[in-house]
Amino acid sequence: MSFYDLIVSRRTVRQFQQNPIDEGILKAMVNAGRLAPSAANHQPLEFVVVTEKYLCQKIYPFLKWAAYIAPEGDPKPGKQPVSYIVTLVNKQIKTDGYQWDVGAANENMILAGWEKGIASCWLLSVNRKEVTKILDIPNHYLLDSVLALGYPEEDPVAEDMDKSVKYWKDGNGRLHVPKRKLDQVIHFNGF
Ligand SMILES: Cc1cc2nc3c(=O)[nH]c(=O)nc-3n(C[C@H](O)[C@H](O)[C@H](O)COP(=O)(O)O)c2cc1C
């Protein structure tokens, strides 16, 4: 697959197969995150990779999925994520303006995973206090977001947006994701 095709074929997935992800793939994903652009090259980010089943099960209740269609978009029983990559901000390095770094790192990790067939859902709706406790994260780190991972058990489709940004599921349970049309967002040489 070309890199462009990899980018456009990526969709957020919330239903996962239960086979584990090879540790080498998870390491490659974090490596892709580590090497992302970083404002002033400060590199405030660190990553917790969660592979243990009991930890995945402890974290899961503290995540919120697909708010527009809840609870329909939640992972079904037996289709929960099998790994997580949790993005931390080292507050001794930076306490604000790190969100751009988080965005670049997470998209790198998402695409590096997708190249290997790993699907993901990037979550900001996280009970940070509880997940911080579960993972023993020290005080000088801020938990920014959680990347839920696994081989995909659904095949969402992006389509041109009509009126609403709200994703929806059809009668077969397939997720449809409206995207603003290219000619609505592209402006050559000014407006
Ligand atoms: C910063 C960020 C936070 C998100 N947080 C959540 C979340 O908490 N729960 C969730 O189910 N999806 C979350 N998503 C996924 C979005 O709902 C998804 O990206 C959007 O619907 C577009 O779908 P697509 O990723 O397939 O293009 C988040 C995405 C981003 C970029």
Side-chain angles (χ1 to χ4, degrees):
M1 199 190 286
S2 73
F3 188 63
Y4 178 79
D5 288 343
L6 186 82
I7 292 168
V8 298
S9 68
R10 178 215 61 84
R11 295 273 65 77
T12 290
V13 161
R14 299 180 181 86
Q15 311 293 331
F16 302 97
Q17 296 172 31
Q18 293 305 292
N19 39 327
I21 302 169
D22 187 81
E23 197 176 295
I25 293 179
L26 293 165
K27 276 190 178 166
M29 290 173 69
V30 173
N31 200 41
R34 174 182 77 91
L35 293 169
S38 172
N41 205 24
H42 281 146
Q43 304 174 65
L45 307 183
E46 297 182 29
F47 308 91
V48 181
V49 181
V50 182
T51 57
E52 293 285 353
K53 196 171 179 182
Y54 81 95
L55 282 174
C56 290
Q57 284 171 346
K58 279 179 94 168
I59 289 172
Y60 179 77
F62 298 110
L63 308 174
K64 278 202 183 141
W65 304 83
Y68 289 138
I69 55 171
E72 212 191 330
D74 290 5
K76 308 244 175 305
K79 297 198 190 320
Q80 295 180 2
V82 296
S83 277
Y84 295 100
I85 299 176
V86 179
T87 298
L88 306 180
V89 181
N90 186 331
K91 290 193 278 183
Q92 291 172 339
I93 298 178
K94 212 163 194 165
T95 53
D96 58 15
Y98 52 78
Q99 289 87 347
W100 293 279
D101 286 24
V102 173
N106 271 272
E107 185 67 353
N108 269 15
M109 294 196 289
I110 288 166
L111 292 173
W114 187 226
E115 188 197 12
K116 304 287 185 200
I118 306 301
S120 57
C121 179
W122 181 10
L123 297 110
L124 276 188
S125 293
V126 177
N127 184 327
R128 290 177 176 74
K129 204 170 149 198
E130 294 299 332
V131 178
T132 296
K133 246 192 276 169
I134 292 166
L135 297 176
D136 280 332
I137 293 164
N139 274 339
H140 65 284
Y141 288 93
L142 183 157
L143 193 163
D144 179 83
S145 50
V146 171
L147 202 54
L149 301 167
Y151 289 92
E153 187 70 1
E154 66 170 341
D155 181 25
V157 58
E159 56 198 19
D160 283 349
M161 194 176 103
D162 184 12
K163 287 191 183 98
S164 172
V165 297
K166 293 184 180 174
Y167 42 78
W168 55 282
K169 280 200 175 180
D170 65 24
N172 296 318
R174 192 174 197 199
L175 183 66
H176 294 251
V177 185
K179 295 284 185 183
R180 292 172 72 196
K181 293 187 190 117
L182 181 60
D183 61 12
Q184 289 179 299
V185 300
I186 196 168
H187 308 280
F188 278 105
N189 306 312
F191 265 74

